[in-house]
């Protein structure tokens, strides 16, 4: 059933006429699709379209940055999983028991390297599988806001390199960040190959 078309009352027509005279179209009509002119008289002086607001400069804001502090550094891609996937998942969740741990927190690089090599090789010889290397988080941010200031977090950055080079490369199967119950960012899981 077709509905009857409703006509505007004289008051509604006057109000609609005022709205049409002050409205600015979002998209101008194309000449070939222009509507026929209305029977209403054209307004004497149409108001100018509103001036567009200036666009603020947002070039210094990075997507994904925090409101305070430095822009987070791009994370490195995760290393490939070389161990059993089920055991890897348990390790990542902090559910795999740690067989031994070494605390290098506060130790110099010169002292840490031989200690780490000795600990990893002796753990492998003893048949241990999962060991925990505690490096510490590297202190707090400096006054300049640089989280990787010289002398801060050196062990945290260096230990993975040592684990992936000789003589440890042959006994290490997987290296990953520790779960927060085992030290989080301040510790590293090292999963050793079978003896």
């Amino acid at each position: 059933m077709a509905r009857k078309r409703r006509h505007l009352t004289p008051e509604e027509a006057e109000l609609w006429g005022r709205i049409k005279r002050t409205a600015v179209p979002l998209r101008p009509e194309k000449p070939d699709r222009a509507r026929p002119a209305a029977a209403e008289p054209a307004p004497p002086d149409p108001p100018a379209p509103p001036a567009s607001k200036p666009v603020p400069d947002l070039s210094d804001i990075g997507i994904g940055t925090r409101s305070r502090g430095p822009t987070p550094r791009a994370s490195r891609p995760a290393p490939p999983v070389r161990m059993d996937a089920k055991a890897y998942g348990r390790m990542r969740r902090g559910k795999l028991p740690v067989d031994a741990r070494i605390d290098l927190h506060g130790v110099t690089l010169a002292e840490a390297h031989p200690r780490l090599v000795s600990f990893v090789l002796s753990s492998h010889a003893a048949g241990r599988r999962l060991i925990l290397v505690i490096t510490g988080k590297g202190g707090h941010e400096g006054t300049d806001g640089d989280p990787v200031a010289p002398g801060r977090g050196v062990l945290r950055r260096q230990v993975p390199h040592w684990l992936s080079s000789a003589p440890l490369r042959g006994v290490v199967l997987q290296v990953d960040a520790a779960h927060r119950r085992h030290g989080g960012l301040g510790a590293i899981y090292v999963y050793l190959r079978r003896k």
Side-chain angles (χ1 to χ4, degrees):
M1 183 163 130
R3 295 176 75 184
K4 264 184 146 179
R5 187 169 182 164
R6 181 181 172 280
H7 294 287
L8 298 177
T9 65
E11 295 86 24
E12 291 172 331
E14 178 195 348
L15 180 60
W16 181 244
R18 278 191 272 164
I19 291 171
K20 283 183 5 183
R21 285 189 295 272
T22 61
V24 178
L26 293 175
R27 289 183 227 131
E29 292 185 13
K30 295 180 180 176
D32 58 336
R33 293 181 136 189
R35 295 180 185 161
E40 298 177 15
D45 189 14
S52 62
K53 294 180 182 177
V55 178
D57 179 23
L58 302 176
S59 61
D60 61 337
I61 297 176
I63 295 175
T65 59
R66 296 178 186 202
S67 60
R68 294 181 193 153
T71 304
R73 294 182 3 201
S75 61
R76 286 179 276 178
V81 178
R82 292 186 292 270
M83 60 187 283
D84 176 63
K86 187 174 178 181
Y88 179 73
R90 290 185 65 219
M91 181 182 77
R92 297 265 310 173
R93 292 189 306 273
K95 304 280 186 179
L96 207 59
V98 174
D99 297 323
R101 65 187 74 219
I102 183 172
D103 190 353
L104 300 176
H105 183 243
V107 178
T108 66
L109 281 175
E111 297 168 340
H113 187 254
R115 283 189 193 180
L116 178 68
V117 170
S118 173
F119 174 72
V120 172
L121 293 177
S122 65
S123 294
H124 180 258
R128 297 182 183 121
R129 296 304 306 272
L130 181 62
I131 59 175
L132 185 69
V133 179
I134 301 167
T135 61
K137 294 181 183 178
H140 301 291
E141 292 181 8
T143 55
D144 59 353
D146 183 10
V148 190
R152 296 187 180 268
V154 176
L155 277 177
R156 193 174 87 189
R157 291 190 312 264
Q158 194 63 40
V159 165
H161 295 295
W162 291 339
L163 293 169
S164 63
S165 29
L168 302 179
R169 177 179 40 217
V171 298
V172 173
L173 183 61
Q174 190 77 44
V175 176
D176 209 337
H179 187 271
R180 68 175 171 234
R181 79 175 63 182
H182 291 132
L185 293 176
I188 299 170
Y189 287 135
V190 181
Y191 197 77
L192 302 175
R193 297 181 187 276
R194 290 194 188 275
K195 190 175 168 185

